[in-house]
Amino acid sequence: MINVDATLPKEAFVIPHHYYDDVESVLIPHGLILNRIEKVAQDIANDAQGPLVACCVLKGASVFYADLMNALRKAQTPDRKSIPFSYEFMKVKSYENDKSTGNVQISLSEDELKSYKGKHLLIVEDIVDTGRTMVALLERLKQYEPASVKVVSMLVKRTPESNGYVPDYFGFSVPDYFVVGYGLDYNEYFREMEHICIISDVGKVKYAV
Amino acid sequence: MINVDSTLPKEAFVIPHHYYDDVESVLIPHGLILNRIEKVAQDIANDAQGSLIACCVLKGASVFYADLMNALRKAQTPDRKSIPFSYEFMKVKSYENDKSTGNVQISLSEDELKSYKGKHLLIVEDIVDTGRTMVALLERLKQYEPASVKVVSMLVKRTPESNGYVPDYFGFSVPDYFVVGYGLDYNEYFREMEHICIISDVGKVKYAV
């Protein structure tokens, strides 16, 4: 786990032309993300108790998911074997209703969810902010009786809005900045940028809906 | 475009322990896939007429999609600018009914599909076999009046079952082998393997449902 606080000057990095004015600074450069992912994958491999069902939470985690799966492919368990894993993709929407504190809508069918019984799930998320979505998702998945559920998040935000939930594995702990890039979007923009950056006021206005 | 015909000995490559007996041989090594992708991305960038909506056809194309997006990020248009692109993910199921030769079910909502009007779409597929799914998908997408639709497929199979459809861009042309790996599955197995391989009889039995 790496605590990131200081920002880096955008002039020192290759930023796509079309986003240059739309970001304030670089928070986490792409190369650092990849290096950290290698270690996170190794940690996951060390703890794995069998084949994993690796579930990508679309769309924000898609870039992180791809690089994490690539690293997991190379990682070895303590007895020097490779980890079998399968690919799953889901959209997750959390909402509140009168009856409980949180609920989630998952874009998988009942049959697909039931197939998780007895399996080891690895939920791959881009950012844990308030923690509400993840807590509600874990609550819901419990009903399908997986053997285990672990969560790996690329980022965890340090925010007073947090419900205290901390994922099993995460890449970086960051302050409450408005981050974009490496899969993280602002109205569907910025996902294709390789570094995690802080959006600028120009960017917030340009891509507002 | 590269025509691949001859297979390579699996003993010469790093194959995950758990799949070693399940593959016959290597057809396209991972490094070669990545090198080819760099060029495909450059070809796409050279032709691009604006921002792209890059649609990944889940799940088989997910690994190819990730590497292609990474390469697209680095590619430059003829006037040396980067290409803006956004991420989209969809599941596509083709079926036949009495009324027409082919139909598709797309996992996107009507609203999402309508938002494609006037946009440049890039459909990212893993393999074009008979060509039926892709032809039906393109037919359906036309109704939403995109500015353009281009298809990039990692593989094209040389098969007598083909309807003659050829994608705008593709990585490799392969014979009618039973290929797995690099996102391509056999009953959800093999996706995490980095090379494209030919499955063995042992593998076909082991992972049969």
Side-chain angles (χ1 to χ4, degrees):
Chain A
M1 187 269 286
I2 298 179
N3 280 320
V4 179
D5 281 278
T7 60
L8 297 158
K10 61 178 177 176
E11 304 80 49
F13 293 89
V14 173
I15 309 278
H17 294 105
H18 55 278
Y19 287 137
Y20 197 79
D21 296 328
D22 307 322
V23 300
E24 184 83 31
S25 53
V26 173
L27 188 63
I28 314 176
H30 186 245
L32 173 53
I33 299 173
L34 293 183
N35 290 151
R36 177 65 189 132
I37 284 176
E38 283 185 66
K39 180 55 162 59
V40 171
Q42 193 52 62
D43 292 342
I44 291 170
N46 286 342
D47 296 343
Q49 298 177 300
L52 298 174
V53 177
C55 309
C56 174
V57 180
L58 295 170
K59 303 181 196 177
S62 58
V63 184
F64 174 54
Y65 181 82
D67 288 333
L68 182 62
M69 292 308 106
N70 284 347
L72 210 52
R73 191 191 277 157
K74 298 289 168 193
Q76 288 186 340
T77 58
D79 55 347
R80 305 204 61 212
K81 294 214 152 52
S82 47
I83 302 260
F85 58 92
S86 58
Y87 289 66
E88 190 60 83
F89 299 87
M90 56 177 168
K91 284 194 175 169
V92 176
K93 206 178 282 192
S94 76
Y95 57 94
E96 310 235 339
N97 61 25
D98 295 333
K99 304 203 178 69
S100 66
T101 48
N103 272 299
V104 276
Q105 215 177 32
I106 309 178
S107 69
L108 297 171
S109 67
E110 268 305 292
D111 280 347
E112 284 170 311
L113 288 162
K114 282 178 181 158
S115 76
Y116 287 171
K117 183 170 168 145
K119 303 274 172 73
H120 297 285
L121 303 184
L122 177 70
I123 309 298
V124 183
E125 180 67 294
D126 51 359
I127 182 164
V128 170
D129 198 321
T130 61
R132 271 199 290 273
T133 304
M134 201 45 60
V135 169
L137 176 63
L138 292 173
E139 198 60 39
R140 175 83 191 277
L141 288 174
K142 245 193 255 181
Q143 301 169 24
Y144 300 95
E145 300 176 313
S148 71
V149 185
K150 296 244 170 97
V151 177
V152 55
S153 182
M154 177 172 62
L155 303 180
V156 171
K157 251 199 194 176
R158 277 171 263 141
T159 163
E161 314 257 336
S162 164
N163 64 5
Y165 172 76
V166 177
D168 301 275
Y169 311 92
F170 61 94
F172 304 88
S173 154
V174 297
D176 200 356
Y177 294 138
F178 192 153
V179 285
V180 289
Y182 196 72
L184 299 168
D185 76 312
Y186 174 61
N187 296 325
E188 297 299 327
Y189 293 92
F190 295 107
R191 292 195 205 276
E192 78 278 32
M193 191 166 60
E194 64 176 340
H195 311 298
I196 292 176
C197 297
I198 298 174
I199 195 174
S200 68
D201 292 331
V202 168
K204 282 182 205 171
V205 169
K206 189 189 289 184
Y207 301 115
V209 280
Chain B
M1 187 266 285
I2 297 180
N3 281 319
V4 179
D5 282 278
S6 50
T7 59
L8 297 158
K10 60 180 177 176
E11 305 81 48
F13 293 89
V14 173
I15 308 278
H17 293 107
H18 54 280
Y19 287 138
Y20 196 79
D21 297 329
D22 308 321
V23 301
E24 184 86 29
S25 53
V26 174
L27 189 64
I28 313 176
H30 186 245
L32 172 53
I33 299 173
L34 294 183
N35 291 152
R36 177 67 189 130
I37 285 176
E38 282 185 66
K39 180 55 162 60
V40 171
Q42 193 51 63
D43 292 342
I44 292 170
N46 285 344
D47 297 343
Q49 299 177 300
S51 331
L52 297 174
I53 297 185
C55 310
C56 174
V57 180
L58 295 170
K59 305 181 196 177
S62 57
V63 185
F64 174 54
Y65 181 81
D67 288 334
L68 182 63
M69 293 309 107
N70 282 347
L72 211 51
R73 191 191 277 159
K74 297 289 166 196
Q76 289 186 341
T77 59
D79 54 348
R80 303 204 62 211
K81 293 212 152 57
S82 47
I83 302 260
F85 58 93
S86 57
Y87 288 66
E88 190 60 84
F89 298 87
M90 56 178 168
K91 284 193 176 170
V92 176
K93 206 178 281 190
S94 75
Y95 57 93
E96 309 237 339
N97 61 26
D98 295 333
K99 305 205 177 67
S100 64
T101 48
N103 272 299
V104 277
Q105 215 177 32
I106 310 177
S107 68
L108 297 170
S109 68
E110 269 304 295
D111 280 346
E112 284 171 309
L113 288 163
K114 282 178 181 158
S115 75
Y116 286 171
K117 182 170 169 148
K119 302 277 171 73
H120 296 286
L121 303 184
L122 177 70
I123 309 297
V124 183
E125 179 69 293
D126 52 359
I127 183 165
V128 170
D129 199 322
T130 62
R132 273 200 287 273
T133 305
M134 202 42 62
V135 168
L137 177 63
L138 292 173
E139 198 59 40
R140 176 86 190 274
L141 289 174
K142 244 193 256 181
Q143 301 169 23
Y144 301 95
E145 301 177 311
S148 71
V149 184
K150 296 243 169 98
V151 178
V152 54
S153 181
M154 177 173 60
L155 303 180
V156 171
K157 252 198 195 177
R158 278 172 264 141
T159 163
E161 315 258 334
S162 163
N163 64 4
Y165 171 77
V166 178
D168 301 275
Y169 311 93
F170 59 95
F172 304 88
S173 154
V174 297
D176 201 355
Y177 293 139
F178 193 152
V179 285
V180 289
Y182 196 71
L184 300 168
D185 76 311
Y186 173 63
N187 296 325
E188 297 299 328
Y189 292 93
F190 294 107
R191 292 195 205 275
E192 78 277 31
M193 192 167 60
E194 63 176 341
H195 311 297
I196 292 176
C197 298
I198 297 175
I199 194 174
S200 67
D201 292 330
V202 169
K204 282 183 202 170
V205 169
K206 189 189 288 182
Y207 301 115
V209 281

